[in-house]
Amino acid sequence: MKHTIALVDDDRNILTSVQMTLEQEGFEVRTFTDGESALQALLAKPASLAVLDIKMPRMDGMELLQKLRARSAMPVIFLTSKDDELDELMGLRLGADDYITKPFSQRLLIERIRTLLRRNENSKAEGSGVAPASVITRGQLTLDETKHQCLWKGQDIQLTVTEFLLVKALAARPGMVKSRDQLIDAAYGENVYVDDRTIDSHVKRLRKKFRTQDEEFDQIETLYGIGYRYKEA
């Protein structure tokens, strides 16, 4: 089964070029030149992954991501301008899984896409029937890898693939400090470069999601200059 990639960018040259490259790599590609048409189409028929530009007419990438995240945990990669650090951080806070700055290498984009799809498949894979489902329980937290489900006090917390992998890495060893580099390896893999601030943004968004369900949530602790840890129950 082919993976479907949604490309959303008002630059038709980028759409055409990236579409050709992705189709050569075996992907099905759907292209959109504005966020509004992309939103309607993706809510009706989700893609395996979406690549969104930020600055677009009718509905920009930020608003599109926010509306998608209200209904879907579909992996999302943001395309940002080289100097738009604020946009990168805001995109991650809204739930983007990754970002790439323009101008970008199409080979890098393909590698990031494959990495996210691989992680998404691993997180949602059905149990083979040979081994029991992998479930982590830490006090009020339950993580079910086969269902890609996160529960806090019995309430479902909708997490992106990256967020799920970060919670899993922290909760797997409560009390143990995880450096940002260790969390990057856990969530992105060892061969993908990600800036430290990406992890910080993901953690802030994770806390916000949990505190939406429980305003007293404080299980993810920051150790300044060192990293993060999951508080033992």
Side-chain angles (χ1 to χ4, degrees):
M1 176 178 145
K2 282 187 176 182
H3 286 295
T4 302
I5 309 300
L7 299 178
V8 190
D9 197 311
D10 62 335
D11 188 326
R12 293 184 182 274
N13 290 328
I14 289 179
L15 285 181
T16 301
S17 176
V18 175
Q19 179 179 9
M20 290 178 59
T21 299
L22 290 177
E23 288 177 342
Q24 289 171 358
E25 293 291 323
F27 294 106
E28 290 185 2
V29 181
R30 299 161 64 190
T31 62
F32 307 92
T33 55
D34 66 85
E36 190 171 294
S37 61
L39 176 65
Q40 295 173 359
L42 291 175
L43 289 181
K45 185 180 179 181
S48 305
L49 179 147
V51 180
L52 312 180
D53 188 28
I54 290 182
K55 295 178 173 61
M56 295 184 294
R58 299 177 67 188
M59 179 186 295
D60 66 19
M62 294 290 188
E63 185 179 356
L64 173 58
L65 175 63
Q66 195 167 21
K67 291 181 181 297
L68 286 174
R69 276 290 169 261
R71 300 272 296 275
S72 170
M74 174 179 60
V76 169
I77 297 175
F78 253 147
L79 298 180
T80 71
S81 299
K82 189 171 184 180
D83 298 325
D84 287 341
E85 179 177 326
L86 181 60
D87 285 345
E88 293 167 8
L89 294 174
M90 182 61 71
L92 292 170
R93 292 190 183 105
L94 290 174
D97 292 276
D98 204 349
Y99 66 87
I100 295 178
T101 56
K102 295 181 180 182
F104 59 91
S105 160
Q106 292 200 20
R107 298 311 308 174
L108 173 62
L109 176 60
I110 290 169
E111 179 62 29
R112 297 288 182 89
I113 288 173
R114 292 196 185 280
T115 296
L116 276 175
L117 289 174
R118 189 162 53 245
R119 286 166 27 211
N120 197 38
E121 288 174 348
N122 289 341
S123 294
K124 294 184 176 181
E126 294 293 333
S128 64
V130 176
S134 179
V135 177
I136 296 175
T137 302
R138 298 288 182 265
Q140 300 289 346
L141 175 72
T142 300
L143 296 174
D144 187 331
E145 292 184 76
T146 62
K147 297 179 181 178
H148 185 71
Q149 184 179 56
C150 174
L151 300 177
W152 176 256
K153 294 185 176 180
Q155 298 296 311
D156 188 47
I157 309 294
Q158 291 292 319
L159 302 181
T160 67
V161 177
T162 301
E163 291 167 349
F164 189 92
L165 292 172
L166 286 173
V167 173
K168 176 187 170 185
L170 289 166
R173 303 291 295 276
M176 177 174 286
V177 179
K178 291 281 188 179
S179 69
R180 288 171 177 81
D181 286 341
Q182 289 174 315
L183 292 174
I184 287 171
D185 289 346
Y188 287 88
E190 297 180 359
N191 297 320
V192 178
Y193 171 76
V194 179
D195 194 278
D196 285 356
R197 68 180 184 270
T198 302
I199 296 298
D200 296 336
S201 292
H202 281 310
V203 169
K204 288 178 182 178
R205 181 164 174 82
L206 275 171
R207 286 173 173 152
K208 181 178 179 181
K209 285 188 173 184
F210 278 95
R211 286 171 181 166
T212 298
Q213 298 287 356
D214 178 7
E215 61 184 18
E216 296 182 358
F217 177 85
D218 63 351
Q219 298 304 116
I220 300 176
E221 298 182 311
T222 301
L223 283 83
Y224 293 98
I226 304 176
Y228 298 94
R229 70 180 172 197
Y230 191 84
K231 187 191 298 184
E232 294 184 270

